[in-house]
Amino acid sequence: MTSQASAVQTPKTFQPRIFSGIQPSGGLTLGNYLGALKRFVEKQEEGIETIYCLVDMHAITVWQDPAKLRQQTREGAAAFIAAGIDPKRSILFNQSQVSAHAELAWIFNCVARMGWMSRMTQWKDKTAGKNAEAASLGLFAYPALMAADILAYHATMVPVGEDQKQHLELTRDIAIKFNNDYGVDFFPVVEPLIEGAATRVMSLRDGTRKMSKSDPSDQSRINLTDDAETIAAKIRKAKTDPDPLPATVEGLKDRPEARNLVNIYSALSGQSVEAVISEFAGAQFGTFKPRLVDLAVAALSPITNEMNRLMADPAEIDRILGDGADRADAIARPILEQVYDITGMIRSRRK
């Protein structure tokens, strides 16, 4: 039997609002820039309300060194700002400073089903061949916290990569079940934003694997902290095949390394993949790679320099994150209080 929170006025339409978060795991790469940060800046420029979060509570689903976690959270914030996020136009904060995330996650732990969590591909991947009973409960249940991250702000859109689509679908399921369980139209059914050629940037050493900071080879990735000389060297040494670039996009189908470099060029230049192929059809990589070097250095060197400047003043980064947390809490707290009303909680100590 479902209950009806008839005294609560629930919204029927939702203000367009984008939420996205990045785990402060350190070692941000070109993949993070093209797949996330660059897109975040583009959304900020569209005039939609944008909320961006360093999800430090997600990070501790596996053990983190506390000093490194603080450093990596500040580095993540510096990367957001250096990439073009304006903390005055967007809300930028770290998750643990807004308690609504953890509070709503508990509510969603009681809405979500065990079967939903056990089917999560990332849970299966991270525990495959291992003793799943030794994994943290947080690692198993963290999709409920991810749902809380999004729905605490009534976000309507979330930029996601292909590997996060399943978790967003679970967020939608939780919103729908909550609304149905309590007979309300309270949480929006959030929509994914998946756009562009470089949604998923692949390794420079293996075009079938995602670019990752955890890859043992530093040559597999371009780090946002790499200087211009290092960026150039890594692109020059990037794995390719012996054939020239094809005359059509279809010609990239079975050439993962070539496709990856073309996608990166497309994303950095703002050109379509078709336009890049048209420009470089028949060119050897000895011609293409120097052009890609120029693009990458022009895009990333200013970001690296600005990150270094910001990281020299951690107190200022902390101030920016604190201000963002205050603004985030001003949105999330009233929504959470309505959730408590809907679910029947007595809240006599409200401020």
Side-chain angles (χ1 to χ4, degrees):
M1 179 181 295
T2 60
S3 60
Q4 176 71 38
S6 59
V8 178
Q9 297 297 315
T10 57
K12 301 297 181 184
T13 59
F14 301 93
Q15 173 184 335
R17 181 177 288 149
I18 292 173
F19 176 92
S20 195
I22 288 182
Q23 199 168 135
S25 52
L28 292 172
T29 70
L30 174 67
N32 298 118
Y33 173 66
L34 292 180
L37 297 176
K38 183 172 181 286
R39 299 174 189 282
F40 295 170
V41 174
E42 291 166 357
K43 292 302 172 187
Q44 173 184 265
E45 299 306 316
E46 290 176 9
I48 301 171
E49 186 174 19
T50 45
I51 302 174
Y52 298 124
C53 181
L54 282 306
V55 289
D56 48 1
M57 294 174 69
H58 284 291
I60 63 168
T61 56
V62 294
W63 188 85
Q64 302 286 331
D65 177 273
K68 287 185 178 179
L69 180 59
R70 279 188 285 271
Q71 172 75 6
Q72 289 166 183
T73 301
R74 291 177 180 129
E75 181 183 284
F80 270 96
I81 298 166
I85 292 298
D86 182 348
K88 292 183 172 62
R89 297 172 60 194
S90 295
I91 296 175
L92 176 63
F93 69 106
N94 59 304
Q95 181 187 29
S96 61
Q97 293 206 72
V98 180
S99 65
H101 290 251
E103 294 178 65
L104 188 57
W106 177 254
I107 301 289
F108 288 165
N109 279 339
C110 300
V111 173
R113 305 292 91 179
M114 289 281 288
W116 297 359
M117 299 298 188
S118 64
R119 287 191 291 273
M120 291 292 102
T121 301
Q122 285 197 12
W123 165 254
K124 293 179 181 178
D125 289 346
K126 289 180 179 179
T127 57
K130 302 175 184 176
N131 180 8
E133 293 186 1
S136 73
L137 177 60
L139 184 61
F140 181 73
Y142 94 90
L145 177 57
M146 180 176 171
D149 297 336
I150 297 163
L151 295 174
Y153 302 96
H154 276 179
T156 58
M157 295 168 283
V158 177
V160 293
E162 289 289 340
D163 57 341
Q164 287 292 320
K165 282 181 67 177
Q166 188 184 38
H167 287 133
L168 192 61
E169 289 165 3
L170 187 138
T171 296
R172 291 163 59 91
D173 290 342
I174 288 173
I176 291 167
K177 188 174 188 299
F178 181 94
N179 290 345
N180 289 340
D181 285 352
Y182 291 99
V184 294
D185 180 18
F186 185 72
F187 284 119
V189 180
V190 65
E191 295 293 336
L193 293 174
I194 303 175
E195 305 167 350
T199 296
R200 199 171 193 215
V201 179
M202 312 308 283
S203 165
L204 298 180
R205 307 305 298 163
D206 180 352
T208 66
R209 298 176 59 186
K210 186 176 180 181
M211 184 178 285
S212 171
K213 73 176 186 66
S214 61
D215 192 304
S217 173
D218 190 58
Q219 296 299 311
S220 70
R221 60 186 170 271
I222 294 174
N223 305 299
L224 293 189
T225 53
D226 286 342
D227 59 26
E229 184 176 335
T230 303
I231 292 170
K234 287 180 176 180
I235 292 175
R236 283 195 297 266
K237 293 177 182 178
K239 183 180 177 182
T240 56
D241 56 50
D243 296 327
L245 286 167
T248 65
V249 174
E250 289 73 22
L252 295 171
K253 182 179 179 183
D254 297 315
R255 301 174 63 186
E257 285 79 25
R259 182 176 63 245
N260 185 41
L261 295 184
V262 169
N263 281 351
I264 291 171
Y265 191 103
S266 167
L268 287 171
S269 67
Q271 297 176 260
S272 68
V273 172
E274 290 79 6
V276 176
I277 287 296
S278 177
E279 181 178 352
F280 290 99
Q284 297 289 339
F285 284 100
T287 300
F288 180 75
K289 282 184 175 181
R291 295 281 298 277
L292 180 55
V293 166
D294 291 342
L295 271 178
V297 169
L300 298 182
S301 289
I303 294 173
T304 301
N305 294 337
E306 180 64 2
M307 283 181 66
N308 290 337
R309 186 191 70 80
L310 290 163
M311 288 299 290
D313 189 357
E316 175 61 11
I317 294 177
D318 292 355
R319 185 198 65 76
I320 290 170
L321 292 173
D323 177 70
D326 288 342
R327 292 161 61 203
D329 187 70
I331 298 171
R333 180 54 51 180
I335 291 171
L336 181 65
E337 292 299 338
Q338 286 183 278
V339 171
Y340 284 136
D341 279 343
I342 289 169
T343 54
M345 307 291 181
I346 294 173
R347 304 288 289 171
S348 58
R349 295 182 66 248
R350 295 183 191 175
K351 294 181 181 179

